[in-house]
Amino acid sequence: ILNVEQSPQSLHVQEGDSTNFTCSFPSSNFYALHWYRWETAKSPEALFVMTLNGDEKKKGRISATLNTKEGYSYLYIKGSQPEDSATYLCAFSNTGNQFYFGTGTSLTVIP
Amino acid sequence: GAGVSQSPSNKVTEKGKDVELRCDPISGHTALYWYRQRLGQGLEFLIYFQGNSAPDKSGLPSDRFSAERTGGSVSTLTIQRTQQEDSAVYLCASSLRVLGDYEQYFGPGTRLTVT
């Protein structure tokens, strides 16, 4: 089992604040890194699929970066809104077919 | 279009009974994954299918767990002689291909409670 760590475990921010969280994974044998958003009572939903060192992806106010050589990815949310409240999961794969998830960062945006 | 569906949504069973969990992936998705999340823990990978084939079953927690997929579509996860530690939310996901380049689409999960 590969160790994938996410920090912080939970975060409370005010509406309008920008925030970021970290996913750390083994720096050897990288294949892909996924980010998912999991809202309460819903299914996890894909945000980004990242496969190349130096990748930067953006979707609206959310963006992510990837450093495979040092084994980390950052997720950024600009101008947080209450609807951004969710648990954000990263999933690492070294083979392309098995995925190891972190325990997630729980974000609460306070109106 | 239709997403990934799972049934039942909730299952309460007595210790020692067998249970069967079902997953209907998105049509045309060749890859299918099973995960579970026990209380307070992260998503744990169990098994993946490429078509009807599961090349690596080492993620299954014990020999009481088995999974199959037929017709490149529906998959069932079977747990025999359930134990209390099997209580968890079991999630199924599908993707277009078994390659890390493709995002996974998750079902709503089956909450299994073993009493």
Side-chain angles (χ1 to χ4, degrees):
Chain A
I1 296 178
L2 301 178
N3 196 30
V4 179
E5 294 185 354
Q6 291 189 247
S7 61
Q9 188 173 6
S10 67
L11 198 54
H12 290 71
V13 300
Q14 293 288 332
E15 182 176 352
D17 285 353
S18 294
T19 187
N20 65 85
F21 3 105
T22 305
C23 172
S24 300
F25 51 86
S27 56
S28 58
N29 299 323
F30 176 87
Y31 191 100
L33 192 285
H34 294 193
W35 282 100
Y36 292 87
R37 174 169 58 200
W38 196 355
E39 294 179 67
T40 302
K42 294 188 178 180
S43 307
E45 177 187 329
L47 288 172
F48 303 113
V49 172
M50 309 180 83
T51 57
L52 297 173
N53 183 44
D55 254 355
E56 292 188 22
K57 301 262 180 163
K58 187 175 181 182
K59 186 182 288 189
R61 295 178 291 98
I62 305 177
S63 60
T65 61
L66 178 67
N67 184 324
T68 62
K69 295 188 186 308
E70 295 183 40
Y72 64 85
S73 175
Y74 294 139
L75 189 78
Y76 301 90
I77 302 179
K78 185 177 178 182
S80 302
Q81 299 297 307
E83 58 265 31
D84 296 329
S85 296
T87 295
Y88 291 82
L89 299 171
C90 67
F92 164 79
S93 180
N94 61 341
T95 60
N97 47 43
Q98 294 190 21
F99 287 82
Y100 301 91
F101 280 77
T103 51
T105 293
S106 173
L107 174 68
T108 302
V109 182
I110 303 162
Chain B
V4 178
S5 61
Q6 292 185 246
S7 61
S9 54
N10 276 288
K11 176 74 176 177
V12 180
T13 190
E14 290 181 355
K15 178 181 171 182
K17 300 279 189 184
D18 297 352
V19 295
E20 217 172 72
L21 312 180
R22 177 187 168 109
C23 172
D24 270 284
I26 292 172
S27 178
H29 280 194
T30 60
L32 187 146
Y33 306 84
W34 282 99
Y35 299 92
R36 74 174 176 183
Q37 185 178 40
R38 292 193 278 190
L39 194 62
Q41 299 185 19
L43 278 176
E44 177 187 2
F45 172 85
L46 297 179
I47 193 169
Y48 79 93
F49 286 89
Q50 182 172 355
N52 292 334
S53 173
D56 185 351
K57 300 180 181 178
S58 62
L60 295 174
S62 77
D63 57 9
R64 296 184 295 104
F65 285 70
S66 62
E68 65 173 15
R69 188 179 184 194
T70 55
S73 181
V74 172
S75 176
T76 53
L77 179 69
T78 302
I79 309 173
Q80 295 179 309
R81 304 182 303 281
T82 51
Q83 303 294 311
Q84 288 185 330
E85 63 261 28
D86 300 333
S87 295
V89 175
Y90 289 81
L91 285 166
C92 168
S94 71
S95 69
L96 197 57
R97 301 283 185 268
V98 175
L99 284 175
D101 316 63
Y102 294 90
E103 62 190 19
Q104 296 180 30
Y105 295 80
F106 283 82
T110 294
R111 182 175 296 278
L112 175 66
T113 304
V114 182
T115 60

